[in-house]
Amino acid sequence: MKALALLLTTSLLISHTPAQAQAETAKPADAAPAAPAKRGLLKYSPPKTAATGTRIDGDGASRGSGDKLPSLYVLAPNHTALTTREQPSLFWYQTGPAKTRFELTLTEPKNPKPLLKVGTDKSEQPGIHRISLAKQKITLKPGVSYKWTIAWVPDPANRSQDVIASGSIQRIEPDAKLTAALADAKGMDKVAAYAQGGIWYDALEALSNEIDAAPKDKDLRAQRAALLDQAGLKDAAAGERK
């Protein structure tokens, strides 16, 4: 009887082994992991009521000494672009290095004195730059359209020689739809929510923060190039793709 029991047990083990091997072969874990879905490029939806024609691009024509200065661009659309932040960041792009004085000014309507005026004697790094209004202790009021200007100043005694670029910014309170979209959003989902909601400055800042955290990520730079393209900022977009 013991011999018979042993024989039956052995038979069961042998008959089970091929089925078990077949089941293990079919396990999804053994298959190669699926590649993550590639995110589409950002889509910016401009606010329908925004005032248009508010941007000026600074062509770096020859000034004074005959040297051609780099072109300057405020990174904003050609309309009054929005932010939900009290103290957002402002971004600009320069096409090349310059040993000429650079100035940035922020003004509000009916106030002849600038809220902010900062400068540096030279700006030798081409590409995208930013200034944080929080670090400058500047707070924007809701509903006010502010103008900000950047300039090369080759001759402080003759400001007609300046190369000037400018744009506008207005702070708004987020609506219920945007608030819901941002509730659990992180990373690029947050950027997309701002872009689709027409909040240009917050979309650009959130995306730029992602790039600062991963500067070698080509996909992030492609997203910023796409965003800049939609604002008509072709030189800045091309710089992102180099």
Side-chain angles (χ1 to χ4, degrees), residues 83-88 106 108-109 111 115 133 138-146 169-173:
T83 179
T84 64
R85 301 176 182 275
E86 291 183 343
Q87 297 176 309
L106 176 68
E108 64 180 339
N111 187 351
L115 292 179
L133 295 188
I138 299 296
T139 299
L140 303 184
K141 303 171 187 175
V144 177
S145 181
Y146 296 85
I169 181 171
Q170 182 175 333
R171 178 186 158 202
I172 66 165
E173 298 296 337

Side-chain angles (χ1 to χ4, degrees), residues 41-59:
L41 293 175
L42 287 170
K43 175 65 177 176
Y44 172 63
S45 300
K48 295 179 180 179
T49 59
T52 59
T54 60
R55 190 182 76 209
I56 296 173
D57 298 331
D59 179 24

Side-chain angles (χ1 to χ4, degrees), residues 2-17:
K2 289 182 178 179
L4 179 60
L6 180 60
L7 180 61
L8 288 172
T9 303
T10 305
S11 177
L12 288 172
L13 287 171
I14 293 172
S15 65
H16 175 69
T17 301

Side-chain angles (χ1 to χ4, degrees), residues 1 14 27-28 65 75 97 130 151 159 163 187 191 213 239:
M1 293 296 291
I14 293 172
K27 282 183 179 179
S65 65
L75 296 190
R130 80 158 84 185
R159 299 303 296 259
V163 175
V191 177

